[in-house]
């Protein structure tokens, strides 16, 4: 007990009587080790961060108008893809809700979304930026234009979020079976 205890001698004696024949133990023999899962998660998170830093730059400003309807198709691709996205011909299999994210977290989540789409062979995804202060609404299209696997993007139809969402079409390579 410390010398500046606010307990009376009577309380201390009562406590010791109730505790009986106990002895203080020291925890000096158990050493906790990091599991492989924790290391794997850390490595995956670092990989996502590197992908986001590699593809998404804040300095690059593409020639797209983010103040009106977002509409972009990768150069060399069919312009009809944007119209198909607008009409709802493609159904988004994955949805990323970015409400409450800052730009740095948004970059990581975009890299993770694109990676997940490629792993699951998802051709279309929806990114809900919301309208709010319009920071992500303007920045996300600038990030997406920089990624080589994005074929087209368009403002989402109303059923997927309207002005506060973007549908993206990814270039998923289909393997031919022989």
């Amino acid at each position: 007990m410390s010398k500046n205890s606010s307990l009376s001698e009577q309380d201390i004696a009562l406590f010791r009587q109730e505790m009986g024949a106990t002895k203080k133990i020291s925890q000096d023999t158990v050493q906790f080790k990091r599991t492989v899962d924790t290391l794997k998660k850390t490595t995956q998170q670092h990989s996502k961060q590197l992908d986001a830093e590699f593809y998404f730059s804040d300095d690059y400003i593409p020639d797209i108008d983010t103040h009106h309807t977002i509409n972009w198709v990768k150069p060399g691709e069919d312009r009809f893809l944007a119209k198909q996205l607008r009409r709802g011909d493609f159904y988004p299999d994955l949805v990323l809700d970015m409400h409450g994210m800052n730009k740095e977290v948004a970059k990581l989540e975009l890299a993770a979304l694109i990676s997940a789409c490629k792993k699951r062979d998802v051709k279309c995804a929806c990114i809900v930026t919301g309208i709010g202060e319009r920071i992500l609404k303007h920045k996300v299209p600038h990030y997406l234009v920089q990624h080589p696997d994005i074929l087209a993007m368009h403002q989402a139809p109303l059923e997927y979020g309207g002005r506060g969402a973007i549908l993206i079409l990814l270039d998923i390579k289909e393997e031919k079976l022989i």
Side-chain angles (χ1 to χ4, degrees), residues 4 8 17 23-24 27-28 32 41 88 91 97 126 167-168 170 174:
N4 295 333
S8 68
Q17 178 186 359
K23 64 178 183 173
K24 187 176 180 179
Q27 182 69 13
D28 61 351
F32 297 101
K41 286 179 185 176
Y91 179 80
D97 187 355
C126 181
L167 286 181
I168 61 171
L170 286 101
E174 296 180 16

Side-chain angles (χ1 to χ4, degrees), residues 51 55-56 72 74 111 114 118 142-151:
D51 283 348
Y55 288 120
F56 307 129
W72 178 83
K74 186 177 185 177
I114 293 169
K118 289 167 56 176
H142 290 188
Y143 297 149
L144 292 172
V145 168
Q146 298 173 48
H147 201 284
D149 291 331
I150 303 295
L151 289 179

Side-chain angles (χ1 to χ4, degrees), residues 8-123:
S8 68
E9 291 295 324
Q10 194 177 26
D11 290 336
I12 294 171
L14 179 62
F15 175 77
R16 288 196 173 132
Q17 178 186 359
E18 290 297 319
M19 295 310 295
T22 59
K23 64 178 183 173
K24 187 176 180 179
I25 61 170
S26 63
Q27 182 69 13
D28 61 351
T29 57
V30 177
Q31 296 180 0
F32 297 101
K33 295 184 180 187
R34 293 176 73 182
T35 62
V36 175
D37 292 339
T38 307
L39 293 173
K40 186 183 279 187
K41 286 179 185 176
T42 305
T43 306
Q44 288 173 348
Q45 188 176 21
H46 182 67
S47 174
K48 287 179 190 176
Q49 186 174 3
L50 288 176
D51 283 348
E53 290 172 2
F54 177 73
Y55 288 120
F56 307 129
S57 169
D58 285 320
D59 297 332
Y60 177 73
I61 301 174
D63 188 23
I64 58 173
D65 184 13
T66 58
H67 296 289
H68 301 300
T69 301
I70 296 167
N71 176 7
W72 178 83
V73 177
K74 186 177 185 177
E77 297 295 329
D78 188 7
R79 297 283 311 158
F80 188 63
L81 291 174
K83 185 174 183 178
Q84 288 178 304
L85 284 170
R86 178 180 51 92
R87 290 190 318 196
D89 290 351
F90 293 101
Y91 179 80
D93 292 321
L94 292 176
V95 176
L96 173 62
D97 187 355
M98 297 186 126
H99 284 94
M101 292 184 190
N102 62 24
K103 290 189 301 184
E104 299 308 314
V105 173
K107 288 180 192 180
L108 293 174
E109 290 299 321
L110 282 174
L113 174 72
I114 293 169
S115 176
C117 287
K118 289 167 56 176
K119 285 180 184 175
R120 297 179 186 176
D121 292 331
V122 171
K123 190 136 177 96

